[in-house]
Amino acid sequence: MLAKLRVGRFDPETSSPEPYFQEYELEVEDWFSVLDALIKIREEIDGTLSLRCACRASICGSCGMRVNGRAKLVCKTKLDSVWSPGETLTIEPMGNMPVITDLITDFTSFWDKVRQIDPYMQPTGPEPEAEYLASDESMVHLAGVMNCIMCGCCVSECTVLEVDENFIGPAALAKAYRFVADPRDGKAEERLKDLNEPTGIWDCTRCMQCVEVCPKDVDPMGRIMVMRDLAMEAGVKSTAGSRHTDSFVNSVKRSGRLNETRLTIESIGVMNIPGQLAMAPVGVKALLKGKLPPVRDHKIPSKKAVGEIVKKAEGKN
Amino acid sequence: MYEHDVLIIGAGLAGLRAAVESVRLGVDTAVLTKVHPVRSHSNAAQGGINAALTDRGDEWEGHAYDTIKGSDYLADQDSVEVMVREAGDTLIELEHMGVIFSRDEEGRLGTRAFGGQREARTFFVGAITGSAMLHVLHEQIMRNDVRIYEEWFVTSLIVEDGVCRGAVAMDMRTGEMETIRAKAVIMAAGGAGRVFEPSTNALICTGDGLALAWDAGASLMDMEMVQYHPTTLAGNGILLSEAARGEGAYLINADGDRFMENYAPEFMELASRDVVSRAEQIEINEGRGINGNVLLDLRHLGTKFIEEKLGYLQEVAVEFRGIDLGESPIEIRPGMHYIMGGIKTTIDGATVIPGLYAAGECANVSVHGANRLGANSLLDTIVFGKRSAIAAAEYVKTVGRNGSSDSQLESDKKRIQEILDRPQGIRWAAMRNELAESLTEGIGVFRDQASMEGADAKVDELRGKYPQVSVDNKGKVFNTDLIFALELDFMLDVAKSICQGALMRKESRGAHSRTDLPDRDDENWLKHTHVYKDPDGLGGVRTETSDVTITKWEPIERAY
């Protein structure tokens, strides 16, 4: 059957380089992956089309691209799962990374961020002569993160990176979790302290994009959330995110509802005078317009039932 | 011009392990690789790494014997001894670096069974062992800030007065070419699976290191020893790990029989790879296959077990075939997987060219002989990657300053410009397909004089036409079109050495199974084949043989 592909092109060697689309028509087989189609173009139709690919078997992480607007590993994306005869399939380079040429993106900042999290095991204490002892469950659990092939799909679709290029991002944070959760690593607390800083674990907006596009089920956002819990459990609480979480929980415990004014004040930090002053004009404006929520708690009638829920939730932990 | 003491070409397991050691020894080290290190094909090693750990009752002698028997007695026994004796320490080093090996109930390293071995001595991470090791070694590279020439492509080695002194390479991102001077070069550029089609190998496995070293004057040894893996997918050749059979999977034919009973009654599905691949091919040839395949059956293991121990296999089966391995068997067949042959080295990675070392799949220390055991390749990369770095570190102390000539750079630039300037000619992809199909046909699971001669003649014919290969892309930035044309040049050389090695060996041994000479001939052929390139500048080859080193294990009949 005949397929039509609309492929993102970019030639940096022209006098005023601009990205554009080029359409290709080619015969495809029903077993084709999207990568098979692209390789066929490159080999038989147009050798100027540049892309990265190597293993063809979803283990090397070379071929992350946007397929109809979403990042995918194109080798493990069957053509017929994203395209039907008569349609045009759109392939573009991944997002949140500069394009070098055509479908090839620049991973420099991707790897800089991986470096930022001290990406190597740091045991403390004397090295044993034989292996470190560890449970099989802990290793199998880590294998879920080691499944990460650093393809960049999560980074491509991260909505925080879209607006803040300094965010460490889902791939590097998932990698950080791999060490934080490794029973052999001795630096979990230091790592959590570092990750607690701005651009770290609290900057994720929980949009789920990374979880959805990850071709290896690494669940970066889930790992980030676990690290938030671990940071708070370890007493690493000096962040707005951590204070926000505490304030939220305390408010619900006290009254069964959210006290938004206290949430704001406590998230900023009661003793954080510059922070409070910076927020003051917003508060004054809200007050003048009659929109400042009450500072005092208003208990809800069914507070007791909420208390039961809180108890159960905490019991679960 | 760049300068280093040691330049490592290739950033898979052998290259990165060499780099870690080299840096540890305080040597000025750089790694050059045509793909980012974690994209290297070591990733694809699924099942595990072998080691006989004495503290759990295993002995290196057993591992040595299994390896030597697996090699059909072509492995040099002194080399095998080095590898298996160092296996334990090398494994523990990896664990200490952070590899998340599977554990037993006491929290110690756990093992699984693998083919051709009487003990379960394969250590593993699910079915992603190679990937898990590669990423951890890359972590060590980041930790030590090792200089990486990332996405650089080597066009030739620099050899002056018979001594290797660096390489000429292209920065693929800019298209600029540079001389990189080094007192020693460690070639760790991997295999050449793409010379065949289909192959389990990545598209980047084009034999660059083999061809570069061959061109520089090294011997390519036992190149006829090409491993066909018993469980690959038809069509694109993607691998399903031997770990499946290690964990208990069956091979069945169209009649539902576990046919290995007839070929290897003791080891069954876990006989050596050459034995299993031949058995499958016979079943298929004699009409007991299904669509040119036989079946791999994991149903009795259960979906939960499969997903925990063999998760990546399940992923491949579901994504590429739409099959749940817990529910139904999957069609598989023998597929080209690995080249036992390679650049001849000593146990310290030294080649016949001073200053040139080699390790990993492109090298041939002669530990795999005529058939490699599953999970011995990862061990090979780690042990000999490290050893070659140690030897190179010693060697560079004896070498004075780097040279300064750029003549090699100029001639490589000219050669590449000629390709770019050439008007529309033959597409590289068309020639590569023709080459790979003829090698697969001529140097298959079974071969004979006529099939091998046919492949050899085809290689010569294509070599004659290579000067007509042209590229569409005339640009500089990431001109992959040009890179593929240059890789094809390497592939033609590797193919020639394979055909020549195959034609030399007048017997059947391990993976070299000749229907016209079906017996092993220990009297005449306990020998390595060597092929050298173009000794007289006339485009021909020179061949010779050398004796296999036998120490403790006398060749006996090989049965499983």
Side-chain angles (χ1 to χ4, degrees), chain A residues 13 43 47 50 52 54 56-58 60 76 106 119 128 130-132 134 136 149-150 175 178 184 216, chain B residues 39 56 95-96 98-99 103 107 109 139 151 173 199 201 203 236 312 315 427 432 472 476-478:
Chain A
E13 293 175 75
E43 294 194 348
S50 292
R52 289 194 187 101
R56 311 161 297 133
S58 69
C60 79
K76 74 177 277 188
D106 184 349
E131 69 269 39
Y132 288 97
D136 193 46
I149 53 176
M150 300 283 164
K175 180 95 178 168
R178 174 251 171 284
R184 302 167 299 172
K216 304 297 285 188
Chain B
R39 315 291 178 219
R56 59 208 60 187
E95 198 276 333
H96 286 179
V99 179
R103 308 282 158 154
L109 299 181
E139 289 164 14
E151 299 188 316
R173 191 161 165 168
S199 163
N201 286 197
L203 301 173
N236 53 12
Y312 176 67
E315 182 185 329
R427 295 192 84 87
R432 183 210 55 199
D472 294 340
K476 283 177 106 55
V477 177
F478 252 104

Side-chain angles (χ1 to χ4, degrees), chain B residues 217-230:
Chain B
S219 154
L220 294 187
M221 181 168 94
D222 299 332
M223 291 299 286
E224 67 278 17
M225 297 307 177
V226 176
Q227 179 162 80
Y228 284 79
H229 193 289

Side-chain angles (χ1 to χ4, degrees), chain B residues 200-263:
Chain B
T200 62
N201 286 197
L203 301 173
I204 53 177
C205 300
T206 48
D208 308 5
L210 291 154
L212 287 163
W214 202 40
D215 193 55
S219 154
L220 294 187
M221 181 168 94
D222 299 332
M223 291 299 286
E224 67 278 17
M225 297 307 177
V226 176
Q227 179 162 80
Y228 284 79
H229 193 289
T231 52
T232 72
L233 298 182
N236 53 12
I238 287 173
L239 173 71
L240 290 176
S241 172
E242 185 167 309
R245 284 170 290 138
E247 300 288 359
Y250 302 143
L251 288 170
I252 54 179
N253 61 19
D255 305 328
D257 295 331
R258 282 180 72 187
F259 56 85
M260 285 309 298
E261 254 168 9
N262 306 322
Y263 302 91

